[in-house]
Amino acid sequence: MFCGDPLAPGYADCTHQMTIFAIASSIPAMLALILMVAAFATPAMKAAPALRTRTLGYSLLAWVIAGFTLVMGVLPSV
């Protein structure tokens, strides 16, 4: 999101909204990272390939949600 000139009215609200979107995108990103590590590190996942595949699928979905949230925060407001 382009906030414009720092002296313009509404600049603080705009930067606050960008911060909220950055924090909101970090939550699914952390979940995705935890799921990816769990898929390769835990013995239960190594023993069951279907469970590992499902976990990696959920991790991919969480990465997509995180990326979408981040992009929504970066796009200029319409």
Side-chain angles (χ1 to χ4, degrees):
M1 173 179 304
F2 179 72
C3 294
D5 185 30
L7 300 175
Y11 180 79
D13 292 334
C14 180
T15 56
H16 180 68
Q17 183 178 0
M18 286 176 53
T19 305
I20 289 173
F21 272 104
I23 292 169
S25 68
S26 69
I27 295 168
M30 291 302 290
L31 174 64
L33 184 62
I34 290 168
L35 286 172
M36 263 177 51
V37 169
F40 291 108
T42 59
M45 299 285 183
K46 291 179 182 179
L51 184 59
R52 177 185 282 183
T53 304
R54 191 175 333 141
T55 304
L56 288 173
Y58 292 144
S59 175
L60 179 64
L61 179 64
W63 280 120
V64 168
I65 292 170
F68 178 75
T69 307
L70 187 64
V71 167
M72 290 304 293
V74 173
L75 289 177
S77 60
V78 178

